[in-house]
């Protein structure tokens, strides 16, 4: 049998798909990737899989007219033809916009979808709904909502989170110390949104290890830095980073080592923040001795680290995780303040950047060039909710929330359309979401797989995977633009999201507005051509589309000199002010103070989280649950692939627990446990680890939620999705970000016979 190698790319790396007899049988890492990851090994399993949706389906009860009020998830699905499915979906969009207005269509559809800049499901959905009159959308993201809402007020930009960061060569050449809140976990470098050509993160961590840079891993988990990095581990109680940062600041100020010149010339509000740190404002000096019982780190260690930070060029980085918790704005604001106090901002290799350890490509040297991008068009409705307020929106039509200085009124949602995201993975308190989900009359989902989301839809439309279509992969953090060539025919009756939406648009009379009369091939040329024009303007020579497609990729040249964030501002703050009201770093923000939010005042403060190990409820639920990013998949994607399946313990999602906490509960490695709190319960498989702070347990996100009784809120998730346990609340009225990491639980051995995990099998379907 002949084997053909087809170049392709994904969020988890670039590869050649090896195709035999119409099947992807294996993958081979992209030859240009010096540090390929292992998640690509799951690709053949997900393309050809029992979990694929073979044809369009409709929920049986929906066909009988059981709509608003129906609890989804437990009923059989009835197969329908594509023509019928398109007619039903277009009919519902038409009916809802006519009877209730376009704002009653919720099309936020948050999620990563697949790599590829044209067939990006969420963008395609937004384009279709926009030409159909608009929809209620979502702003910010689950990754760093609190941070991205805060930073423009503080430093005038989000570049320190999502833009070009002070690069690794600059850190390695100039910093002597790197202080990492949330560590630099190797696992998170396995992915890069949009499709990267190289595992850059692994490369730069190796370079940092070889350079002798002193790295401090401040995290409840030792594994948040790989052993070979030689980092020091400071185990911290979850949710207390702000207290530690305040104490570091106190020790530096008490020693008279703060960078007074920088604080005077480049910052506003230092006096007020200083008074708070010293306790002049509230009578509580934020000393290392004060922070010790809060953080679990002894005062001497804190003072020692503060002295090292004052004496050495220091890069401070905070993982995105530390703001996905109660008052998540505070640790981020305090990170900036600490970098201002140590004076490193805008100097080579020092200062701060968020998320060096959060995703592949942060700090990867790259000339700032645009990548091909599909435009979603303009939303005539213009209504949005902060991304994580989706359950609130469904629960309280006409209600609303504060968000970043404005009031957001929730619409009366009748129709939900999701393509390219998985709220039954990503959202917190999934039992509450399941109840609120019943408010909708119709829920439409495009999905390649029978995910927990697809199982909770009314109309399910089978989408192709990237291997079944042509696309262009690219990320703003990588120097490659990758051809993603079709490797196999669409599986079953699956269709591209673009084709599905083109037909829905057709039924609504707006086909040309949606397609602009281009097919896939014309779109790829068009998007590449637009980006190439920008590259040419920037003086970068690149091949034309045909040459790019034939070669399989384009690689941009590396920049000639290291990039330093805020360098121009540092050198001349008058000539290069920040885009803040003062033009400076706002240690105190008059704008935020003006909002009058008691949960996000005008300067960084320590607030005890609502759920943490220092709280009284810690009696009933004495363990802090971290639900971090999975090493073996991307969120819920690839869960049915070999890499994720191999990591399960007794078929369940693993939970890390320390030896003392395990012994206290009579637990051993390999046991199945019930993890629970008042919000829900799931099963998990025990992994005993020395490298976890006592009182803390950790489970990755993304195991497909598998309720023992589908459709019943509160039913035990037999597979191990931690979001049946997490709390659904905003970080504060400023950012309204999710707070998944602030979560207490208890664990007991599961004594009964554990029900089988069924979510990786198709649900019950009726025959026509
Ligand atoms: N407890 C807890 N929860 C968390 C987090 C946490 O740390 N803890 N992290 C949060 C974060 S940071 C994020 S970003 C979110 C991630 O949440 P999501 O981005 O929603 O997670 P994914 O599993 O990537 O979901 C993408 C969905 O798109 C589908 N899909 C893929 N390709 C296509 C396609 O071509 N067409 C269509 N129609 N569908 C496609 C996939 O099958 C999958 O169901 O999770 C959040 N949730
Ligand atoms: N392999 C893989 N990589 C991924 C993803 C994936 O799904 N799979 N998802 C990607 C996405 S969308 C995102 S947003 C990023 C997220 O990037 P991050 O948010 O940085 O990732 P997490 O793994 O949630 O958290 C990093 C570490 O922070 C630690 N931590 C948690 N709470 C605290 C705390 O209160 N204090 C301190 N000091 N440490 C704490 C945890 O031990 C955890 O391992 O990851 C990306 N990378
Ligand atoms: Mo994320």
């Amino acid at each position: 049998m002949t084997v053909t190698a087809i170049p392709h790319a994904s969020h988890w790396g670039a590869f050649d798909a090896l195709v035999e007899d119409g099947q992807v049988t294996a993958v081979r890492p992209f030859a240009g990737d010096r540090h390929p990851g292992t998640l690509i090994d799951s690709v053949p399993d997900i393309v050809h899989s029992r979990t694929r949706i073979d044809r369009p389906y409709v929920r049986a009860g929906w066909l009988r007219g059981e709509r608003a009020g129906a609890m989804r998830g437990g009923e059989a699905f009835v197969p329908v033809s594509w023509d019928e499915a398109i007619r039903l979906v277009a009919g519902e969009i038409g009916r809802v916009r006519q009877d209730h207005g376009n704002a009653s269509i919720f099309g936020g559809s948050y999620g990563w979808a697949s790599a590829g800049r044209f067939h990006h499901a969420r963008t395609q959905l937004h384009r279709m709904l926009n030409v159909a009159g608009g929809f209620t959308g979502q702003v910010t993201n689950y990754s760093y909502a609190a941070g991205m809402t805060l930073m423009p007020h503080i430093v005038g930009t989000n570049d320190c989170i999502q833009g070009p960061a002070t690069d690794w060569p600059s850190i390695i050449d100039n910093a002597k110390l790197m202080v990492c809140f949330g560590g630099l976990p190797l696992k998170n470098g396995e992915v890069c949104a949009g499709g990267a050509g190289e595992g850059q993160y692994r490369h730069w961590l190796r370079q940092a290890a070889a350079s002798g840079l002193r790295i401090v891993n401040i995290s409840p988990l030792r594994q948040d830095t790989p052993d070979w990095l030689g980092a020091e581990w400071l185990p911290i109680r979850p949710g207390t980073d702000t207290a530690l940062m305040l104490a570091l600041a106190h020790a530096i100020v008490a020693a008279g080592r703060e960078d007074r010149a920088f604080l005077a010339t480049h910052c506003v509000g230092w006096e007020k923040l200083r008074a708070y740190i010293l306790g002049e404002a509230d009578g509580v000096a934020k000393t290392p001795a004060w922070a010790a019982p809060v953080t679990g780190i002894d005062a001497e260690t804190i003072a020692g680290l503060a002295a090292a930070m004052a004496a050495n060029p220091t890069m401070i980085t905070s993982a995105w995780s530390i703001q996905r918790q109660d008052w998540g704005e505070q640790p981020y604001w305090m990170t900036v303040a600490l970098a201002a106090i140590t004076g490193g901002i805008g100097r080579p290799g020092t200062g701060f950047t968020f998320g060096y350890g959060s995703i592949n490509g942060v700090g990867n040297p790259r000339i700032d060039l645009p990548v091909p991008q599909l435009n979603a068009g303009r939303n005539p409705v213009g209504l949005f909710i902060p991304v994580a307020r989706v359950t609130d929106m469904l629960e309280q039509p006409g209600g609303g929330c504060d968000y970043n200085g404005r009031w957001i009124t929730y619409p009366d949602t009748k129709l939900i359309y999701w393509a390219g995201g998985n709220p039954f993975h990503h959202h917190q308190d999934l039992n509450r979401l399941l109840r609120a989900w019943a408010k909708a009359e119709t829920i439409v989902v495009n999905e390649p797989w029978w995910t927990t989301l697809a199982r909770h839809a009314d109309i399910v439309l089978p989408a192709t995977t990237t291997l079944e279509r042509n696309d262009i992969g690219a990320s703003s953090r990588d120097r490659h633009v990758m051809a993603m060539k079709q490797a196999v025919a669409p599986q079953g009756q699956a269709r591209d999201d673009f084709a599905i939406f083109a037909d829905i648009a057709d039924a609504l009379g707006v086909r040309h507005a949606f397609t602009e009369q281009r097919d896939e091939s014309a779109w790829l040329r068009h998007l590449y051509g637009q980006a190439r024009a920008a590259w040419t303007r920037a003086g970068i020579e690149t091949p034309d589309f045909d040459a790019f497609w034939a070669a399989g990729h384009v690689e941009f040249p590396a920049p000639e000199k290291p990039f330093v964030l805020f360098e121009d501002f540092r050198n001349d703050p008058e000539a290069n002010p920040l885009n803040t009201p003062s033009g400076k770093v706002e240690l105190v923000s008059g704008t935020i103070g003006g909002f009058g939010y008691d949960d996000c005042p005008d300067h960084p403060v320590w607030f005890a989280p609502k759920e943490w190990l220092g709280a009284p409820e810690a009696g009933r639920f004495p363990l802090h649950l971290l639900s971090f990013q999975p090493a073996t998949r991307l969120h819920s994607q690839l869960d049915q692939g070999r890499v994720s399946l191999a990591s399960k313990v007794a078929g369940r999602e693993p939970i890390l627990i320390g030896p003392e906490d395990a012994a206290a509960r009579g637990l051993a490695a390999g046991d199945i446990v019930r993890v629970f709190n008042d919000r829900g319960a799931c099963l998990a498989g025990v992994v005993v680890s020395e490298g976890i702070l006592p009182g803390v347990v950790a489970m990755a996100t993304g195991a497909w939620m598998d309720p023992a009784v589908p459709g019943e809120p509160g039913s035990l998730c037999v597979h191990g999705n931690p979001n049946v346990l997490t709390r659904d609340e905003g970080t504060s009225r400023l950012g309204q970000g999710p707070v998944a990491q602030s979560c207490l639980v208890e664990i007991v051995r599961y004594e009964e016979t554990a029900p089988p995990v069924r979510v990786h099998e198709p649900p019950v379907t009726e025959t026509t």
Side-chain angles (χ1 to χ4, degrees):
M1 190 77 63
T2 42
V3 179
T4 328
I6 312 282
H8 210 74
S10 67
H11 293 313
W12 39 86
F15 55 86
D16 285 341
L18 305 183
V19 178
E20 253 174 287
D21 199 17
Q23 300 259 315
V24 181
T25 51
V27 296
R28 184 173 62 199
F30 168 51
D33 189 348
R34 289 170 298 167
H35 301 270
T38 54
L39 295 185
I40 54 174
D41 294 346
S42 286
V43 166
D45 307 333
I46 65 162
V47 176
H48 312 287
S49 161
R50 285 196 308 273
T51 55
R52 287 296 298 272
I53 303 171
D54 60 345
R55 54 179 304 169
Y57 286 97
V58 182
R59 178 173 65 83
W62 190 89
L63 287 172
R64 287 193 301 269
E66 294 155 22
R67 301 194 177 175
M71 204 54 77
R72 274 79 169 183
E75 286 172 45
F77 285 94
V78 180
V80 295
S81 68
W82 265 113
D83 284 351
E84 177 69 356
I86 297 290
R87 195 184 60 77
L88 291 174
V89 173
E92 281 301 283
I93 293 173
R95 178 186 69 84
V96 169
R97 69 177 179 186
Q98 168 92 32
D99 294 354
H100 306 280
N102 281 74
S104 286
I105 301 173
F106 182 66
S109 191
Y110 177 79
W112 267 52
S114 280
R117 293 290 164 175
F118 170 60
H119 289 286
H120 186 254
R122 187 187 195 209
T123 314
Q124 291 284 356
L125 172 64
H126 289 176
R127 277 181 64 84
M128 186 276 286
L129 291 176
N130 280 339
V131 297
F135 61 99
T136 296
Q138 283 167 297
V139 288
T140 75
N141 59 37
Y142 279 79
S143 314
Y144 39 72
M148 72 184 282
T149 311
L150 177 71
M151 282 307 135
H153 294 295
I154 306 311
V155 291
T157 171
N158 268 322
D159 280 0
C160 50
I161 307 181
Q162 54 194 12
T166 296
D167 60 30
W168 276 106
S170 178
I171 298 172
I172 289 166
D173 285 349
N174 297 285
K176 290 278 179 287
L177 173 63
M178 186 159 181
V179 178
C180 309
F181 296 89
L184 295 170
L186 197 56
K187 65 178 177 64
N188 285 356
E190 293 283 329
V191 311
C192 186
E198 255 199 291
Q200 289 287 345
Y201 178 59
R202 286 175 283 266
H203 169 72
W204 291 113
L205 276 196
R206 293 271 176 199
Q207 301 290 111
S211 75
L213 174 67
R214 179 180 169 198
I215 295 175
V216 182
N217 170 25
I218 301 172
S219 166
L221 286 185
R222 186 167 56 207
Q223 70 185 40
D224 278 340
T225 46
D227 289 344
W228 48 257
L229 201 54
E232 293 151 54
W233 180 37
L234 281 194
I236 187 172
R237 208 185 229 184
T240 66
D241 297 271
T242 308
L244 176 59
M245 292 174 194
L246 283 163
L248 291 167
H250 189 287
I252 293 168
V253 174
R257 301 293 300 269
E258 75 274 28
D259 188 333
R260 289 189 195 148
F262 183 79
L263 290 163
T265 53
H266 289 70
C267 303
V268 292
W270 171 235
E271 270 179 34
K272 189 169 180 184
L273 180 60
R274 181 176 181 277
Y276 175 76
I277 292 167
L278 296 180
E280 290 161 8
D282 59 357
V284 181
K286 313 302 177 301
T287 61
W290 164 82
V294 177
T295 59
I297 303 175
D298 63 74
E300 265 171 46
T301 305
I302 299 175
L305 179 59
M309 292 173 76
N312 293 288
T314 302
M315 174 55 85
I316 305 170
T317 190
S318 292
W320 297 344
S321 58
I322 74 161
Q323 53 81 70
R324 288 201 301 281
Q325 40 181 275
D326 289 330
W327 334 116
E329 292 81 5
Q330 305 309 319
Y332 264 36
W333 205 341
M334 200 52 214
T335 301
V336 177
L338 198 52
I341 290 165
T342 52
I345 296 174
R347 290 254 163 85
T350 62
F352 74 97
T353 293
F354 299 105
Y356 283 108
S358 294
I359 209 159
N360 182 30
V362 179
N364 180 32
R366 181 183 183 278
I367 300 168
D368 195 12
L369 295 169
V371 293
Q373 197 93 43
L374 180 69
N375 186 340
R378 201 184 69 82
N379 183 347
V381 168
L383 186 65
F384 62 83
I385 61 162
V387 72
R389 298 279 56 79
V390 53
T391 298
D392 289 351
M393 173 196 76
L394 294 170
E395 283 177 350
Q396 313 157 36
C401 70
D402 283 303
Y403 167 66
N404 199 19
R406 43 193 295 203
W407 178 257
I408 306 293
T409 302
Y410 297 142
D412 189 2
T413 305
K414 301 293 182 194
L415 171 69
I416 297 173
Y417 203 139
W418 225 294
N422 184 356
F424 279 91
H425 141 66
H426 69 229
H427 195 55
Q428 282 56 67
D429 200 347
L430 290 176
N431 289 306
R432 218 184 115 196
L433 175 66
L434 179 57
R435 285 187 202 93
W437 205 241
K439 297 275 175 117
E441 293 171 351
T442 299
I443 299 164
V444 188
V445 166
N446 294 11
E447 255 292 344
W449 296 282
W450 279 116
T451 60
T452 312
L453 170 68
R455 288 159 193 264
H456 288 84
D458 297 325
I459 305 176
V460 183
L461 305 181
T464 52
T465 69
T466 64
L467 276 300
E468 295 144 56
R469 59 205 191 206
N470 294 297
D471 212 331
I472 301 172
S475 154
S476 61
R477 303 187 196 273
D478 184 86
R479 293 196 287 107
H480 300 77
V481 176
M482 308 296 302
M484 294 170 63
K485 297 191 188 179
Q486 180 176 357
V488 294
Q491 303 294 293
Q493 294 185 21
R495 300 184 67 201
D496 299 344
D497 293 286
F498 170 68
I500 298 171
F501 293 133
D503 279 358
I504 295 171
D506 192 57
L508 292 167
V510 286
R511 184 183 197 102
H512 286 344
F514 173 73
T515 64
E516 296 178 24
Q517 307 200 44
R518 292 188 192 94
D519 59 9
E520 176 191 77
S521 157
W523 269 109
L524 297 187
R525 279 174 192 280
H526 175 67
L527 297 180
Y528 182 87
Q530 277 183 328
R532 185 171 181 237
W535 304 334
T536 305
R537 284 195 296 278
I540 308 290
E541 251 180 70
T542 47
D544 67 14
F545 180 83
D546 291 313
F548 152 67
W549 198 252
H553 70 275
V554 165
E555 185 175 353
F556 300 135
E560 276 163 19
K561 68 181 189 61
F563 177 77
V564 177
L565 189 60
F566 302 123
E567 187 173 34
D568 295 344
F569 164 68
R570 175 76 194 220
N571 291 342
D572 189 344
E574 305 299 325
N576 310 298
L578 297 182
N579 188 23
T580 55
S582 60
K584 298 181 179 183
V585 177
E586 303 228 335
L587 302 175
V588 169
S589 162
T591 308
I592 294 177
F595 297 157
Y597 298 156
D598 55 358
D599 54 5
C600 188
D602 66 352
H603 64 74
V605 293
W606 160 249
F607 287 134
K610 294 182 189 172
E611 283 188 32
W612 69 307
L613 291 172
E617 311 86 83
R620 276 182 69 219
F621 300 114
L623 297 171
H624 193 118
L625 175 71
L626 300 178
S627 46
F628 54 27
Q629 306 295 325
T632 59
R633 54 183 179 259
L634 171 70
H635 318 130
S636 70
Q637 301 194 58
L638 309 177
D639 189 38
Q640 72 279 49
R642 67 189 69 178
V643 182
S644 180
L645 291 178
S647 75
K648 307 271 171 175
V649 174
R652 323 288 145 164
E653 190 59 26
I655 187 162
L656 289 183
I657 183 167
E660 294 161 37
D661 291 315
R665 289 164 181 79
L667 302 175
D671 284 351
I672 296 183
V673 288
R674 183 168 162 266
V675 190
F676 65 99
N677 59 22
D678 286 339
R679 291 178 289 267
C682 68
L683 299 184
V686 170
V687 175
V688 179
S689 162
E690 297 277 348
I692 187 164
L693 183 74
V696 180
V697 292
M699 271 176 98
T701 59
W704 291 10
M705 177 180 145
D706 192 3
V709 186
E712 188 178 289
S715 177
L716 176 75
C717 168
V718 303
H719 189 193
N721 187 311
N723 277 326
V724 299
L725 302 158
T726 52
R727 191 160 37 94
D728 175 11
E729 226 178 299
T731 49
S732 81
R733 290 191 276 167
L734 188 90
Q736 293 288 5
V739 300
Q741 305 306 324
S742 304
C743 178
L744 293 175
V745 298
E746 178 54 300
I747 295 181
V748 292
R749 190 207 311 277
Y750 193 68
E751 302 286 2
E752 295 154 55
T753 309
V757 172
R758 287 171 307 190
V759 74
H760 290 154
E761 303 288 332
V764 178
T765 53
E766 288 176 3
T767 45
T768 29

